[in-house]
Amino acid sequence: MPTDHPESTYAVLGLIDKVPDSSGHELAAMADRSLAHFWPISRTLLYRELGRVVALGWAESERVEQTRVPSKSIYRTTSDGRRALADWLTRPVGKHSNFRSDLLLRLFFAHQMEAGQIERMLIDYKHALEVQRAEFDALVHKLSSLSSSQARFGRLSALHGLRTAEARLNWVEEAQQELGGDS
Amino acid sequence: MPTDHPESTYAVLGLIDKVPDSSGHELAAMADRSLAHFWPISRTLLYRELGRVVALGWAESERVEQTRVPSKSIYRTTSDGRRALADWLTRPVGKHSNFRSDLLLRLFFAHQMEAGQIERMLIDYKHALEVQRAEFDALVHKLSSLSSSQARFGRLSALHGLRTAEARLNWVEEAQQELGGDS
DNA sequence: AAGCCCATGTAATGAGTTACATGATTCG
DNA sequence: CGAATCATGTAACTCATTACATGGGCTT
């Protein structure tokens, strides 16, 4: 019964349900500002999933004619769709993490590299993490002020990213100390 | 010149170079014990990449006849392969993190869920993280005792996983406190 | 006799990415 | 006049996964 569909289908379905009567364009903008941090959805993928949820009868679309800007289709979840969503939410989470890290992969083979190159790589990683940390930090603070239940969960997601980034920055320190003390 | 190939190709190439004259079967076992934590490689993928690196001239294979167990092919990197590997190692890391989390995706839409179900989900996540932490912790300690330069980098990778798991466990605590204090 | 270890793949499928196409309108 | 915004897709591709196939030898 809980037929198997990719997680992205539910991501899009959830979005439609959360912000009904939005167009694909608007949903994409929403996703970029929120979901993107832990479940990136490219434009193409979004439109494909929109087609899918409609085909599944989980959402219905309505055409809205516009004159100044191009006409658009807007989406709403059906009762079937809301049921599918609720069902998915309670289904046990499959695999925690499909983690793949370009950095760790290289580090694993780093005995081949010169110390300076490894250091370089770590610094790049550190910079990327600092950007992440700043973004998540800003998000957490922004969402702390709002107090809707929606914002609460958004804040928790951001906090997850923040804590992860912090821990990894600490790891970079550790790694640098360990690798710096020789050669 | 640095023609574009998937990271997994270099993962396999690196493995061959690290443990020369191993069969696909042996390499797969190695990968499961090490790489798997930050760059999982399925059996099928491994064999495909073995074919690819040979086709590219980055490795050469030799047939080894065996009587008690099935015969096997063993692999060695060529000088071209070692060059490709060194080249890849110094190439700047593309995108840091393709992070996708089933848990966060669900949490993002959790306003629909009952408090008990959310709690359940967090507990499952916590358990998974505890397993991860234990695994990484064991690995770090095991690799701390060895002192080859190879083990050093393995240890750092494991430490990355450990720190990440620890931070996320702390996050679960935070989340539980925040969500526990109401309804 | 059941089942795991060695050993290597093929076939089918699908999720997701990148590049490209279109075309009107509004803003600097 | 150029760029950005709104708006929606198609086409081509490829990484990776899952299921399946094979088959002898060794252990319980």
Side-chain angles (χ1 to χ4, degrees), chain A residues 7 17 38 40 88 90 100-101 106 112 117 125 152 155-156 160 163-164 168 171 174 178 182, chain B residues 7 17 38 40 88 90 100-101 106 112 117 125 152 155-156 160 163-164 171 174 178 182:
Chain A
E7 297 288 296
D17 193 63
F38 46 85
W88 166 74
T90 59
R100 275 197 161 93
S101 163
R106 278 167 173 79
Q112 306 251 352
Q117 290 181 328
Y125 186 45
R152 198 221 279 295
R155 187 181 155 275
L156 281 177
H160 185 281
R163 295 291 176 247
T164 300
R168 289 176 176 172
W171 172 84
E174 284 188 90
E178 172 146 345
D182 67 56
Chain B
E7 296 288 295
D17 192 63
F38 47 85
W88 165 75
T90 58
R100 275 198 160 92
S101 163
R106 279 167 173 77
Q112 305 251 353
Q117 291 181 327
Y125 186 45
R152 197 221 277 298
R155 186 180 155 277
L156 281 178
H160 184 280
R163 296 291 175 246
T164 301
W171 172 83
E174 283 187 271
E178 173 144 345
D182 67 55

Side-chain angles (χ1 to χ4, degrees), chain A residues 7 10-11 14-15 17-18 34-35 37-41 45 85 88-97 99-113 117-118 121 124-125 128 132 149-150 152-157 159-160 163-164 167-168 171 174-175 178-179 182, chain B residues 7 10-11 14-15 17-18 34-35 37-41 45 85 88-97 99-113 117-118 121 124-125 128 132 149-150 152-157 159-160 163-164 167-168 171 174-175 178-179 182:
Chain A
E7 297 288 296
Y10 297 99
L15 263 185
D17 193 63
K18 203 171 184 176
S34 54
L35 272 187
H37 295 107
F38 46 85
W39 203 275
I41 295 182
L45 179 54
L85 192 57
W88 166 74
L89 277 169
T90 59
R91 227 145 63 211
V93 172
K95 45 175 184 220
H96 287 290
S97 109
F99 184 57
R100 275 197 161 93
S101 163
D102 293 33
L103 176 97
L104 292 180
L105 183 58
R106 278 167 173 79
L107 193 68
F108 188 71
F109 297 117
H111 54 260
Q112 306 251 352
M113 297 171 75
Q117 290 181 328
I118 300 177
M121 203 169 61
D124 286 350
Y125 186 45
Q132 268 186 43
S149 100
Q150 304 240 4
R152 198 221 279 295
F153 293 110
R155 187 181 155 275
L156 281 177
S157 315
L159 200 61
H160 185 281
R163 295 291 176 247
T164 300
R168 289 176 176 172
W171 172 84
E174 284 188 90
E178 172 146 345
L179 296 176
D182 67 56
Chain B
E7 296 288 295
Y10 296 99
L15 263 184
D17 192 63
K18 202 172 186 175
S34 54
L35 274 187
H37 295 108
F38 47 85
W39 202 275
I41 294 183
L45 179 56
L85 192 57
W88 165 75
L89 277 169
T90 58
R91 227 142 65 210
V93 173
K95 50 181 178 216
H96 288 291
S97 112
F99 184 57
R100 275 198 160 92
S101 163
D102 294 33
L103 176 98
L104 292 181
L105 182 58
R106 279 167 173 77
L107 193 68
F108 188 71
F109 297 116
H111 55 258
Q112 305 251 353
M113 297 170 77
Q117 291 181 327
I118 300 176
M121 203 168 63
D124 286 350
Y125 186 45
Q132 269 185 42
S149 101
Q150 304 240 3
R152 197 221 277 298
F153 293 110
R155 186 180 155 277
L156 281 178
S157 315
L159 200 61
H160 184 280
R163 296 291 175 246
T164 301
R168 288 177 177 172
W171 172 83
E174 283 187 271
E178 173 144 345
L179 296 176
D182 67 55

Side-chain angles (χ1 to χ4, degrees), chain A residues 18-111:
Chain A
K18 203 171 184 176
V19 199
D21 296 324
S22 304
S23 66
H25 193 76
E26 288 159 345
L27 291 168
M30 285 280 311
D32 284 347
R33 270 181 277 113
S34 54
L35 272 187
H37 295 107
F38 46 85
W39 203 275
I41 295 182
S42 64
R43 200 92 355 158
T44 320
L45 179 54
L46 174 75
Y47 281 110
R48 190 160 78 197
E49 295 306 331
L50 281 177
R52 172 145 32 187
V53 290
V54 170
L56 282 166
W58 288 356
E60 40 184 33
S61 65
E62 188 189 331
R63 195 76 194 157
V64 175
E65 302 299 332
Q66 297 180 124
T67 48
R68 6 189 79 211
V69 289
S71 300
K72 62 182 179 180
S73 295
I74 59 172
Y75 299 84
R76 251 170 275 113
T77 49
T78 62
S79 54
D80 267 20
R82 283 183 293 274
R83 213 173 304 125
L85 192 57
D87 205 67
W88 166 74
L89 277 169
T90 59
R91 227 145 63 211
V93 172
K95 45 175 184 220
H96 287 290
S97 109
N98 243 42
F99 184 57
R100 275 197 161 93
S101 163
D102 293 33
L103 176 97
L104 292 180
L105 183 58
R106 278 167 173 79
L107 193 68
F108 188 71
F109 297 117
H111 54 260

Side-chain angles (χ1 to χ4, degrees), chain B residues 114-127:
Chain B
E114 297 165 31
Q117 291 181 327
I118 300 176
E119 179 67 13
R120 193 70 241 269
M121 203 168 63
L122 287 176
I123 290 175
D124 286 350
Y125 186 45
K126 188 178 168 185
H127 290 336

